[in-house]
Amino acid sequence: GHRFVDFGSGPGFPGLPIKILAPAIQATLIESNQKKATFLKEVCRALTLTDVDVFSFRAEEFPASQADTVTLRAVERFETILPNAVRLLAPDGRLALLIGEAQVKSAMNIVPQLDWKLPVPIPLSESRVILVGTIR
């Protein structure tokens, strides 16, 4: 099955909606904040979602090269977080970022080892885009 990691899952977006729409994937929601991780576990239990692991530690502790797809949104320490997210990708893995349009060039420069697609604007958003890169 497809291995999906939501890095810094917070309240579960986009990890939980993706899992609901694609129930066959193996999902890992990485959230180091214990309150948020407990919330994620409770939501998964209440929705009876299977093949979901809530990893309640720092992403740096998650094994490398595991994920076919890694998602990331609301990125703060961009320069530190992006290389860590790429470290989680399996060969030919994809990184999907939900970021501001102003962050696109920076993301491409921080992780030049990815082949980047053109950013896709988010409908009804003024400056948010989805940026997808694939490991070469």
Side-chain angles (χ1 to χ4, degrees), residues 11-12 14 17 25 28-29 35 40 46 50 55-56 62 66-68 86 92 94 96-97 101 109-110 115 118 123 129:
I25 65 171
T28 299
L29 310 176
K35 284 184 181 180
L40 292 170
T50 59
F55 186 78
S56 56
F62 192 76
Q66 297 291 312
D68 299 304
V86 170
D92 298 323
R94 288 182 307 249
L97 305 173
E101 202 170 17
N109 289 333
I110 292 168
D115 285 328
L118 292 175
V129 298

Side-chain angles (χ1 to χ4, degrees), residues 98-99 101 118-131:
L98 177 58
I99 58 176
E101 202 170 17
L118 292 175
V120 177
I122 301 295
L124 305 176
S125 170
E126 291 185 25
S127 65
R128 303 292 283 174
V129 298
I130 294 177
L131 181 64

